[in-house]
Amino acid sequence: MLNTLWLAFFIVAALSGLYQWIVLQDSEVFSRIVQSLFGMAELSVQLMILLFGTLTLWLGFLRIAEAAGLIELLGRLLGPLFRRLMPGVPAGHPALGLITLNFAANGLGLDNAATPIGLRAMRELQTLNPDPKSATNAQILFLVLNSSSLTLLPVTIFMYRAQQGAADPTLVFLPILLATTASSVAGLLAVAFMQRLKLYDPVVLAWGGGLALAIGSLMAVLASLSSAAISATSSLMGNLTLFGIIMVFLLAGARKKVPVYECFIEGAKEGFDISKNLLPYLVAMLCAIGVLRASGALDALLDSIRWAVHAAGLDGRFVDALPTAIVKPFSGSAARGMLIETMQHFGVDSFPALLAATVQGSTETTFYVLAVYFGAVGIQRARHAIGCALIADLAGVLASIGVCYWFFG
């Protein structure tokens, strides 16, 4: 699947470039494509350097947590649930605790913490893989749930809106929460269908019901607060949780008489090896995305959607927010640029800007996540991971559109 998709990006870019050159007389199109190709290669190195520092930091702390027995403890607590969702992972396996930490970090919007934890979890799952080149069912479920972007506190979206002068930066909090929940549920259902998981199991239903109750209670509490209080609470909870996790790791390690400094150094050394292995996958994926954008293929797709919407007589305001939705599965930086551009062009509190912010907060950079998580362990056959992840993305976009018409229509 990855081979076909990667090749298709270049073929579509080439055809679009030929059309721009021959039909539209744009003689600079191939110059832009080549510049984008080398620009994305340079960006890949920059991203790897950023990941190197983050991975080094968090893998060091994770090694302390592992030595203190925290990872094993989390694995035992989540064992009953993951035995149903990931039957190929033994009870008490360290991957289960790491997966739990990764989901918690993602839910709180702690991207810098979530990525290295997730990579460590993927490496632990790889130890159970009988075919190292092909993704297992557990790895696929883990990746799809990561790409569904379940975020309870979208602090970064609030920051973007505040930077653009929004009177109420947290206005999109509840729409994002509803849309990201829809995305995650769709991703789980898609994987469950492909892997024949029994979601009607009492344990799964109990966990699902508890999560739904927790999210509902959180929404009820936050809905009663002022926008300033929500923003302050979000920022405080995110930073406090991040530093609190570090202190729990250190104190638990000290209690178990773990040599925390030596243990940190040992774990941090893994950051170099992982970052080094990531670079070829990042270059391959980001360069393919770059030539696709530079060829004008994405602009043509957007124009086609706008024409179809108007021809059907529908409200086409959502089309102006689609650039963020279209590029988000491919590039987080591109989607962020599209979001800011939409805010500046239409106004930070316009319908397209509010919808773009909701999409940005409720979907994930699927192909980037795919390249990073599978690339870190050398997986080349993604099986049904891409299809299920894109279903989650589509559900997030559709839910964002529906929720924004409901809230801001």
Side-chain angles (χ1 to χ4, degrees):
M1 181 66 176
L2 278 178
N3 287 329
T4 303
L5 183 68
W6 191 73
L7 178 60
F9 283 173
F10 281 95
I11 292 176
V12 171
L15 294 176
S16 178
L18 288 173
Y19 176 80
Q20 298 277 342
W21 174 42
I22 296 173
V23 179
L24 302 182
Q25 302 296 309
D26 183 359
S27 59
E28 300 295 324
V29 61
F30 286 104
S31 174
R32 293 196 300 271
I33 290 176
V34 172
Q35 289 176 4
S36 178
L37 189 67
F38 288 104
M40 288 296 104
E42 181 180 356
L43 177 62
S44 300
V45 176
Q46 294 172 357
L47 288 174
M48 187 209 68
I49 293 173
L50 292 174
L51 280 173
F52 173 76
T54 305
L55 287 171
T56 300
L57 174 69
W58 281 100
L59 287 176
F61 285 124
L62 281 174
R63 180 58 62 88
I64 296 173
E66 185 178 27
L70 294 178
I71 304 300
E72 182 182 356
L73 176 62
L74 283 171
R76 288 200 303 269
L77 291 175
L78 272 293
L81 174 63
F82 283 110
R83 275 200 298 273
R84 275 76 174 179
L85 297 181
M86 298 179 176
V89 181
H93 193 273
L96 300 180
L98 291 166
I99 290 171
T100 304
L101 284 175
N102 172 262
F103 288 164
N106 272 325
L108 294 169
L110 307 176
D111 297 336
N112 289 337
T115 299
I117 296 172
L119 290 175
R120 180 67 188 279
M122 189 64 74
R123 285 164 67 91
E124 291 294 342
L125 290 174
Q126 184 71 351
T127 63
L128 304 172
N129 192 349
D131 181 4
K133 299 296 184 182
S134 181
T136 64
N137 284 349
Q139 288 174 317
I140 291 173
L141 176 60
F142 177 54
L143 182 132
V144 170
L145 291 180
N146 257 276
S147 66
S148 68
S149 184
L150 178 60
T151 304
L152 303 180
L153 295 173
V155 178
T156 55
I157 305 300
F158 299 160
M159 180 188 68
Y160 298 150
R161 285 179 45 77
Q163 287 175 341
Q164 297 300 314
D168 181 2
T170 63
L171 189 61
V172 293
F173 173 74
L174 291 179
I176 288 176
L177 185 59
L178 294 174
T180 191
T181 300
S183 173
S184 297
V185 170
L188 176 60
L189 292 177
V191 174
F193 175 79
M194 294 299 298
Q195 299 181 5
R196 302 295 188 268
L197 297 177
K198 297 179 180 179
L199 296 183
Y200 53 82
D201 184 276
V203 174
V204 178
L205 292 176
W207 276 93
L211 179 61
L213 180 62
I215 292 176
S217 300
L218 177 63
M219 290 177 61
V221 171
L222 293 176
S224 66
L225 300 177
S226 66
S227 60
I230 292 176
S231 180
T233 301
S234 298
S235 177
L236 177 63
M237 288 183 64
N239 291 296
L240 183 61
T241 302
L242 182 60
F243 190 67
I245 289 174
I246 294 174
M247 290 307 302
V248 168
F249 288 175
L250 292 174
L251 293 176
R255 184 175 180 274
K256 291 285 188 177
K257 302 189 183 306
V258 173
V260 290
Y261 177 77
E262 291 83 354
C263 200
F264 178 90
I265 296 299
E266 181 183 351
K269 290 179 180 178
E270 296 182 21
F272 176 78
D273 293 332
I274 295 178
S275 299
K276 179 183 64 177
N277 294 332
L278 282 178
L279 183 58
Y281 296 89
L282 286 175
V283 171
M285 189 60 69
L286 291 180
C287 286
I289 294 167
V291 299
L292 189 67
R293 291 179 56 208
S295 69
L298 287 178
D299 291 335
L301 175 61
L302 189 64
D303 291 339
S304 300
I305 295 174
R306 182 177 286 107
W307 177 87
V309 169
H310 288 310
L314 301 175
D315 185 342
R317 287 180 297 164
F318 74 90
V319 178
D320 292 316
L322 286 185
T324 301
I326 292 173
V327 303
K328 185 61 186 288
F330 304 105
S331 170
S333 60
R336 183 167 54 250
M338 292 292 188
L339 169 62
I340 294 173
E341 182 183 42
T342 302
M343 290 178 178
Q344 292 177 339
H345 183 74
F346 294 98
V348 67
D349 286 324
S350 65
F351 183 84
L354 292 169
L355 175 55
T358 305
V359 170
Q360 177 79 359
S362 61
T363 57
E364 187 53 273
T365 51
T366 297
F367 292 105
Y368 172 80
V369 171
L370 182 79
V372 169
Y373 277 59
F374 280 176
V377 293
I379 288 176
Q380 298 176 3
R381 289 189 61 244
R383 298 172 61 212
H384 52 276
I386 297 176
C388 293
L390 291 178
I391 288 174
D393 284 340
L394 179 60
V397 172
L398 294 177
S400 297
I401 294 173
V403 167
C404 283
Y405 273 113
W406 177 27
F407 276 74
F408 315 119

